[in-house]
Amino acid sequence: MSSEAVGTSLLIGRFQPFHHGHLQVVSKIAGESSQLIIGIGSAQYSHTLENPFTAGERHVMISESLKEAGIHNHYLVPVVDINRYSTWVSHVESMVPPFDRVYSNNPLTKRLFHEAGYEVTGAPMFNRAEYSGTKVRERMMRDDSWRELVPEAVVRMVERIDGIGRMRELAGLE
Ligand code: ATP
Ligand code: MG
């Protein structure tokens, strides 16, 4: 953390699963902030091809990855969806510690937090061609060179819960 790091930042994603692009952006934002709140979005979903992992599994994937990367100034909070954009910000506020700044590239998220008076900053993308949740899930489904796209702690959790078997069975491949 730099001496200029000030304020608490918020980053929300589904992290299905947490990959190296996520780790790099989290590392950068954590370095620019006193504290980083990571919201585990769509927390109620699991066992689908879009959202294979539970909020608890994602929590362990992220917290172990950050511990092993030496990043400690963060809170991890599961956030379930609500299907009403006008109350999304107050829903998030009700679930997470107080924050000053929001990092997002999503136009709707940016607009909603801006309207609520928060500082909103775009988040840099790292090697998006490789590091995307969709791409990682596609490779996991084929069990084809996905391990290099995610931190080691994610590999461990996927193996522990037979995540590849889960995804392949959900897809009707076995
Ligand atoms: P999916 O393809 O499932 O949507 P994703 O890779 O876009 O997965 P999300 O969980 O949707 O991941 O995104 C969470 C946050 O992570 C978003 O704010 C997004 O901008 C950021 N993010 C995703 N990929 C990268 C990347 N390669 N580099 C930096 N940030 C990323
Ligand atoms: Mg996405």
Side-chain angles (χ1 to χ4, degrees):
M1 188 168 57
S2 87
S3 57
E4 285 148 35
V6 285
T8 299
S9 300
L10 172 71
L11 175 74
I12 299 182
R14 288 182 303 115
F15 307 114
Q16 290 281 14
F18 191 73
H19 54 60
H20 280 309
H22 294 139
L23 180 58
Q24 289 191 45
V25 77
V26 164
S27 173
K28 178 179 171 9
I29 298 172
E32 295 170 353
S33 314
S34 321
Q35 297 289 331
L36 170 61
I37 303 163
I38 302 172
I40 303 174
S42 299
Q44 77 273 31
Y45 290 117
S46 69
H47 295 81
T48 71
L49 294 179
E50 271 289 290
N51 294 286
F53 306 112
T54 68
E57 290 161 354
R58 287 177 274 162
H59 196 296
V60 175
M61 290 174 183
I62 299 168
S63 59
E64 293 289 307
S65 297
L66 297 188
K67 186 165 72 184
E68 288 165 19
I71 299 166
H72 302 292
N73 59 327
H74 62 86
Y75 300 100
L76 273 172
V77 184
V79 182
V80 299
D81 291 339
I82 53 163
N83 295 311
R84 188 180 287 234
Y85 295 139
S86 60
T87 54
W88 172 243
V89 172
S90 44
H91 171 66
V92 172
E93 286 170 332
S94 77
M95 302 297 290
V96 308
F99 55 95
D100 309 296
R101 186 187 311 124
V102 179
Y103 284 84
S104 178
N105 294 314
N106 179 282
L108 173 63
T109 301
K110 290 170 94 163
R111 181 69 202 174
L112 292 175
F113 283 97
H114 170 75
E115 286 184 10
Y118 287 100
E119 181 189 337
V120 180
T121 307
M125 293 302 248
F126 296 94
N127 189 8
R128 181 67 171 162
E130 292 279 302
Y131 298 151
S132 104
T134 302
K135 181 153 222 171
V136 176
R137 292 193 300 278
E138 281 168 10
R139 292 216 210 160
M140 289 173 113
M141 198 98 71
R142 299 194 302 267
D143 200 5
D144 171 28
S145 38
W146 57 271
R147 287 172 176 78
E148 64 217 51
L149 303 178
V150 300
E152 177 59 31
V154 174
V155 175
R156 288 200 305 273
M157 176 54 84
V158 171
E159 289 179 344
R160 176 171 158 195
I161 62 174
D162 183 27
I164 303 302
R166 178 189 294 175
M167 293 176 74
R168 290 180 60 79
E169 198 161 331
L170 288 167
L173 295 170
E174 27 192 78

